[in-house]
Amino acid sequence: MTTYLAAAPTPVERAAPAPILVATDLKKRFGRTEALRGIDVTIGRGEIVAVMGPSGSGKSTLLHCLAGILRPDAGTVELEGRRIDTLGETERSKLRRSSFGFVFQFGQLVPELTALENVALPLLLDGVSRSDAEARAADWFPSLGIEGLEHRRPGDMSGGQSQRVAVARALVTGPTVVFADEPTGSLDSLAGEQVMELLSAAVASSETTVVVVTHEARVAAYAHREIVVRDGRISGVVAA
Amino acid sequence: MSIQHAVLGLLQEGPRHGYDLKHLVDRYFAPDRPVAFAQIYATLARLESRGRVALDAVERAEGPDRRRYAITEDGRHELVRWLDEPLAPEPHLQAALFTKVVLAILSGRDVTAIVDSERHAHLARMRELTALRRSAPVPIGLLADYALFHLEADLRWLELTAARVDDLRTNLKLSTEDHP
Ligand SMILES: Nc1ncnc2c1ncn2[C@@H]1O[C@H](COP(=O)(O)OP(=O)(O)OP(=O)(O)O)[C@@H](O)[C@H]1O
Ligand SMILES: [Mg+2]
């Protein structure tokens, strides 16, 4: 079989993209646990970067610091050249709504809202009118293969369907960066693949940047490169 | 298994007879399928002709095998090269990976470094396969899937092994004792 698969059809090398998210010497501790012990990362516009590493190594903490959910104890985070780690809670939460999209392992949709209302929610929070928000939200359903589910509630959808709704919700505001923490962790292989295909397609068409934490190599293979976190540090040969 | 590298690894700590090598190889690298003595001698001969091992002593005594071999500088270089360089990622690597990891554990090397470099090589290959799968005709796509799952399995095994390495180190000491 090796011979059939010998030729790579597309060059995997890409020109280094312009940096969009830059973190230097990030440190974060929780009580006596040093979750991050000095992490430097530079993520380029339009890149998909996989964050890998053992359980408890600091992947989610890193993601949360990059996304302005947590404030690092030391170090800096810049988005498009602007410090975001020093912003106050109100400003960070505004920034998260306007510039970032999030997908977590268990969709974290609002159970009382329909799929459509869930997808429209970030736009409503951003001050878009209800009718506009729902119209924009509805546009995502066909391309994500969830057409017809607009009026279902999360409890009445499968895990894979909910996860696609969560992807739509993450993408609806046209975010600069999508942060995903184990987005396929609760899905079977096929549903997981579909979620990753959707994210990659969105990136390819809109220069969105994706940072995805995963322990699955097949998921990481959708990324342009991987970062390995071990004991709160970037590990190994791949820190490029 | 890469029997040549297994033998080089076993010679790192000091010269050994072919007889001991056969038992050590069986014990650490081929627990499921013992190697033939002839294969060990053929391997030693090949390593000797390449200058990777040298005859260290010939004892004048009874018994099947009194030739003792030692690893050379070239042999050490080759071993380090092989350990540091990721294998070409294809499915069914298990045997070579297995040899590598056991050798790393036995010789106190940093297993996480091996895991990282293998993972990097695996993921590069897996990215190619993921791209190939999108554009290829169905049978090739299915083969690519097959390869992707097997390469992933290699990595999961490697990661598990790296996570357990301290434990393994305690329980995996190089010794010819207590083999049957
Ligand atoms: N809010 C918190 N309070 C206390 N300790 C925390 C908190 N969040 C994380 N930690 C600790 O920080 C370390 C890193 O946790 P983190 O969640 O970043 O790991 P991870 O790499 O995402 O692991 P996993 O793969 O299991 O999700 C762990 O030791 C964890 O227990
Ligand atoms: Mg986590």
Side-chain angles (χ1 to χ4, degrees):
Chain A
M1 64 174 294
T2 309
T3 47
Y4 288 117
L5 300 178
T10 46
V12 179
E13 317 297 320
R14 318 162 65 241
I20 186 160
L21 192 59
V22 180
T24 50
D25 205 18
L26 284 185
K27 292 183 180 147
K28 181 76 188 173
R29 58 160 67 233
F30 299 103
R32 292 166 64 197
T33 309
E34 284 186 80
L36 303 181
R37 304 168 186 242
I39 284 200
D40 295 302
V41 278
T42 299
I43 292 166
R45 185 183 293 278
E47 261 197 314
I48 307 181
V49 175
V51 180
M52 305 189 79
S55 185
S57 59
K59 304 181 295 296
S60 296
T61 307
L62 173 61
L63 194 83
H64 293 161
C65 287
L66 292 177
I69 295 173
L70 281 176
R71 272 180 91 151
D73 300 332
T76 63
V77 182
E78 287 179 9
L79 175 71
E80 299 179 298
R82 172 173 166 237
R83 286 283 290 270
I84 64 169
D85 56 288
T86 47
L87 298 176
E89 179 49 46
T90 323
E91 292 223 270
R92 272 188 291 137
S93 116
K94 205 170 130 200
L95 176 83
R96 289 200 297 270
R97 285 205 308 270
S98 62
S99 303
F100 298 153
F102 295 92
V103 186
F104 297 103
Q105 177 169 1
F106 300 101
Q108 297 199 341
L109 301 175
V110 182
E112 294 78 18
L113 301 182
T114 65
L116 186 68
E117 288 165 343
N118 263 288
V119 177
L121 190 59
L123 294 170
L124 290 176
L125 293 174
D126 238 8
V128 177
S129 76
R130 175 169 290 271
S131 57
D132 276 3
E134 294 199 347
R136 277 168 66 183
D139 285 346
W140 283 93
F141 282 71
S143 62
L144 297 191
I146 44 177
E147 208 169 7
L149 300 182
E150 287 85 345
H151 302 294
R152 296 252 194 112
R153 284 178 215 285
D156 303 326
M157 290 185 286
S158 76
Q161 290 166 340
S162 304
Q163 208 57 345
R164 280 183 265 176
V165 173
V167 170
R169 187 188 53 182
L171 295 172
V172 74
T173 56
T176 313
V177 186
V178 172
F179 294 96
D181 197 345
E182 299 283 1
T184 63
S186 60
L187 304 180
D188 72 14
S189 302
L190 185 59
E193 242 161 50
Q194 287 166 346
V195 164
M196 289 313 295
E197 286 289 348
L198 293 172
L199 275 176
S200 339
V203 169
S205 64
S206 64
E207 287 252 294
T208 311
T209 302
V210 176
V211 184
V212 54
V213 172
T214 185
H215 64 270
E216 291 175 86
R218 281 174 309 103
V219 169
Y222 284 89
H224 300 114
R225 66 190 169 95
E226 78 278 9
I227 289 174
V228 180
V229 181
R230 210 183 283 288
D231 286 332
R233 293 197 175 84
I234 302 287
S235 166
V237 289
V238 284
Chain B
M1 175 185 32
S2 170
I3 192 166
Q4 290 203 37
H5 295 103
V7 166
L8 287 176
L10 292 169
L11 290 173
Q12 280 183 109
E13 294 189 350
R16 291 182 189 278
H17 294 107
Y19 179 87
D20 281 351
L21 286 169
K22 138 88 180 148
H23 287 294
L24 286 167
V25 167
D26 285 353
R27 182 157 178 210
Y28 292 101
F29 302 103
D32 54 337
R33 203 183 326 147
V35 299
F37 275 108
Q39 214 183 333
I40 297 289
Y41 295 124
T43 300
L44 284 168
R46 210 169 315 128
L47 287 170
E48 190 179 19
S49 73
R50 290 183 177 184
R52 291 174 181 172
V53 302
L55 194 58
D56 175 66
V58 184
E59 287 158 24
R60 304 196 165 278
E62 299 305 304
D65 160 45
R66 298 288 81 190
R67 293 157 69 84
R68 205 169 68 169
Y69 290 87
I71 191 168
T72 62
E73 260 325 286
D74 276 3
R76 282 184 202 281
H77 282 308
E78 170 55 21
L79 181 64
V80 169
R81 183 202 64 76
W82 183 74
L83 282 169
D84 287 348
E85 191 167 290
L87 301 158
E90 291 300 339
H92 312 306
L93 274 183
Q94 301 91 323
L97 266 183
F98 182 73
T99 305
K100 228 183 196 192
V101 169
V102 173
L103 269 183
I105 294 170
L106 284 174
S107 56
R109 283 192 168 78
D110 179 7
V111 176
T112 58
I114 291 181
V115 173
D116 284 346
S117 92
E118 295 294 342
R119 172 172 29 219
H120 194 52
H122 269 59
L123 282 176
R125 178 67 178 134
M126 289 177 74
R127 274 193 278 279
E128 291 177 354
L129 291 166
T130 301
L132 175 74
R133 203 181 46 169
R134 283 203 192 104
S135 57
V138 172
I140 304 290
L142 289 174
L143 277 176
D145 270 338
Y146 176 86
L148 280 165
F149 274 93
H150 282 261
L151 293 173
E152 182 177 53
D154 282 351
L155 279 179
R156 291 176 66 167
W157 174 75
L158 270 175
E159 275 160 9
L160 182 73
T161 305
R164 282 184 179 155
V165 77
D166 291 337
D167 220 25
L168 294 171
R169 232 167 229 148
T170 318
N171 292 302
L172 195 66
K173 292 261 160 57
L174 193 58
S175 133
T176 45
E177 279 158 40
D178 76 63
H179 60 66

